[in-house]
């Protein structure tokens, strides 16, 4: 069986470093691993519209932002197919057929949809508190996501843990389809980020998730100064009042970020961050720094300077590539256009197989003759 990846993002904003450690960095590694026959990266504009129906301009603008972030982070259009969801109309057709294989009750149980409904203030009861009702398209987006994945016969979906229920629901749809109509679709597996810190990088304020609306993001396209300022304001251990006090590593967001970004060689490269006027330290790895923080004596400023150095070191090549790409916007759109064209071809092939399995391929080669023969026999035989 072919080894195929599909994954993607909603274009509702620029990508931040949570996206980077949660998926983007991994995608670039997978792209370069040579282990995959095909890799599809989708900009999910149609899904973004399921809860931004009144703001198409936002979605449209962010398609380019996300594409710029992808290419700057190192995704290579010669190795991966980057495409725009709405341009592959086969996906909506597949969704329509999959709709028949899913119950409302099953959708209501999807934990990600549940929490998103809450976050967006959609209310199941439209009358209550004058809250907006749940758009049908939004409620059903897990089904459309199943279409995204299966259209490309992807067996691997690299994504964050919030996408687990989507992949699980896709697997159920695949099993239901294949047992009802015949073995056409491929059951995918989710590929989660490898560490806890990478799975859900908190915002700079220590809150559960980086999100644009909370204003707690560090963007891939932030300048070095912006990164430094944001790290400076980061949430640390509120009980660590004096540098000499013992600190709590687990509640200190700076350590969570270091868990996600720091490698041993950074301690050598940025050793000067730990040389101060009153105290200096030599660490070889993060465990040593953590031990010192727990024991007391290691200040948050040193840690923050160290984190800033690492983040800027990581982001600098990405920023440079973005600057170059920003000078060549036609190129970026050409990548998306070509990718979308290629994606259409693959999705069309799957749709053809799906329709044949569902016996709705009346006018396919040979099928019409059979139909005519059978019906003629019925009426005139
Ligand atoms: N739901 C994903 C997000 O919120 C985007 C997405 C749409 C996706 N279709 C997908 C991710 C298929 C993985 C596979 O960012």
């Amino acid at each position: 069986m072919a080894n195929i990846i599909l994954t993607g993002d909603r274009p509702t904003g620029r990508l931040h470093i949570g996206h980077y450690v949660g998926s983007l960095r991994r995608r670039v590694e997978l792209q370069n691993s040579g282990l995959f026959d095909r890799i599809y990266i989708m900009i999910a504009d149609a899904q973004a519209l399921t809860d931004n129906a009144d703001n198409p301009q936002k979605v449209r603008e962010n398609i380019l932002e996300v594409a710029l972030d992808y290419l700057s982070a190192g995704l290579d259009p010669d190795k991966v197919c980057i495409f725009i969801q709405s341009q592959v109309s086969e996906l909506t057709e597949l969704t329509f057929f999959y709709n028949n294989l899913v119950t409302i009750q099953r959708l209501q149980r999807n934990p990600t949809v549940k929490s998103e409904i809450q976050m967006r203030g959609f209310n199941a009861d439209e009358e209550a508190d004058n809250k907006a009702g749940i758009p049908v398209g939004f409620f059903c987006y897990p089904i459309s996501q199943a279409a995204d994945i299966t259209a490309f016969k992807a067996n691997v979906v690299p994504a964050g843990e919030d996408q687990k229920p989507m992949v699980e629901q896709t697997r159920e749809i695949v099993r239901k389809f294949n047992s009802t109509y015949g073995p056409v679709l491929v059951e995918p597996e989710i590929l989660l980020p490898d560490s806890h810190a990478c799975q859900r990088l908190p915002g700079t304020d220590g809150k559960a998730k980086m999100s644009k609306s909370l204003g707690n993001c560090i963007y891939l396209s932030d300048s070095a100064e912006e990164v430094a300022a944001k790290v400076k304001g980061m949430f640390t251990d509120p009980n660590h009042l004096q540098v000499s006090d013992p600190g709590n590593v687990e509640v200190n967001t700076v350590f969570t970020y270091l868990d996600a970004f720091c490698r041993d060689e950074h301690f050598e490269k940025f050793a000067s961050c730990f040389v101060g006027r009153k105290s200096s330290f030599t660490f070889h790895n993060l465990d040593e720094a953590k031990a010192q923080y727990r024991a007391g004596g290691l200040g948050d400023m040193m840690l923050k300077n160290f984190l800033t150095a690492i983040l800027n070191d990581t982001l600098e090549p990405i920023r440079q590539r973005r600057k170059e790409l920003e000078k060549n916007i036609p190129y970026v759109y050409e990548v998306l256009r070509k990718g979308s064209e290629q994606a259409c071809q693959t999705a069309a092939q799957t749709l053809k197989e799906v329709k044949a399995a569902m016996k709705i391929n009346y006018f396919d080669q040979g099928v019409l003759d059979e139909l005519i023969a059978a019906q003629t026999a019925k009426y005139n035989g």
Side-chain angles (χ1 to χ4, degrees), residues 1-288:
M1 193 182 72
N3 229 357
I4 300 171
I5 282 178
L6 179 123
T7 186
D9 303 277
R10 294 181 198 171
T12 51
R14 292 181 169 207
L15 300 184
H16 52 61
I17 61 172
H19 294 115
Y20 183 71
V21 294
S23 60
L24 217 41
R25 183 169 66 184
R26 173 58 102 39
R27 289 180 201 170
V28 176
E29 286 165 14
L30 294 169
Q31 158 193 280
N32 297 329
S33 72
L35 292 172
F36 292 88
D37 300 297
R38 284 181 293 285
I39 301 181
Y40 297 91
I41 311 284
M42 182 184 75
I43 302 182
D45 63 334
Q47 189 175 105
L49 285 167
T50 64
D51 66 328
N52 287 283
D54 53 354
N55 208 347
Q57 188 60 23
K58 169 174 131 186
V59 172
R60 176 185 249 234
E61 278 169 17
N62 281 308
I63 286 175
L64 180 73
E65 295 298 336
V66 170
L68 283 167
D69 286 332
Y70 282 170
L71 297 172
S72 331
L75 288 177
D76 175 354
D78 286 334
K79 296 182 181 155
V80 304
C81 172
I82 304 175
F83 71 96
I84 304 177
Q85 185 184 29
S86 66
Q87 300 310 293
V88 184
S89 49
E90 286 80 4
L91 298 176
T92 53
E93 221 173 317
L94 285 173
T95 304
F96 193 73
F97 300 134
Y98 296 171
N99 281 344
N100 305 332
L101 307 176
V102 181
T103 65
I104 289 178
Q105 289 73 14
R106 176 62 182 85
L107 280 169
Q108 276 168 334
R109 282 202 308 274
N110 186 307
T112 301
V113 175
K114 257 194 203 167
S115 74
E116 284 179 328
I117 283 172
Q118 271 201 331
M119 264 163 44
R120 284 163 179 70
F122 294 146
N123 199 303
D125 177 5
E126 272 177 71
E127 308 298 316
D129 306 314
N130 285 328
K131 280 189 183 161
I134 306 166
V136 170
F138 180 79
F139 183 64
C140 299
Y141 90 74
I143 306 176
S144 116
Q145 198 155 331
D148 302 336
I149 296 168
T150 54
F152 301 93
K153 304 208 169 155
N155 57 327
V156 178
V157 179
E161 66 179 354
D162 60 323
Q163 297 301 304
K164 243 175 158 169
M166 303 301 157
V167 176
E168 192 42 54
Q169 190 142 23
T170 301
R171 291 167 62 87
E172 286 175 30
I173 290 172
V174 168
R175 287 197 290 264
K176 182 100 188 193
F177 185 99
N178 287 350
S179 66
T180 310
Y181 302 117
V184 173
L185 305 177
V186 174
E187 251 187 81
E189 308 244 13
I190 192 164
L191 181 63
L192 292 168
D194 29 38
S195 85
H196 184 72
C198 293
Q199 275 193 28
R200 195 169 278 250
L201 198 72
T204 51
D205 56 358
K207 296 249 170 64
K209 210 178 165 178
M210 257 193 199
S211 104
K212 196 169 58 185
S213 52
L214 296 173
N216 60 3
C217 303
I218 295 177
Y219 293 98
L220 284 179
S221 47
D222 277 350
S223 68
E225 295 71 35
E226 285 169 312
V227 170
K230 287 179 181 180
V231 172
K232 207 167 177 185
M234 252 169 99
F235 182 83
T236 55
D237 173 7
N239 297 316
H240 188 235
L241 300 175
Q242 306 276 345
V243 171
S244 54
D245 287 344
N248 183 343
V249 166
E250 277 64 40
V251 302
N252 188 336
T253 312
V254 177
F255 275 110
T256 313
Y257 280 40
L258 287 173
D259 277 330
F261 280 95
C262 175
R263 296 188 306 270
D264 289 354
E265 61 259 34
H266 287 137
F267 284 94
E268 204 181 315
K269 192 166 180 184
F270 303 118
S272 64
C273 293
F274 295 107
V275 179
R277 270 182 295 137
K278 291 186 195 143
S279 56
S280 21
F281 303 94
T282 307
F283 300 122
H284 302 95
N285 56 52
L286 194 52
D287 286 337
E288 290 180 9

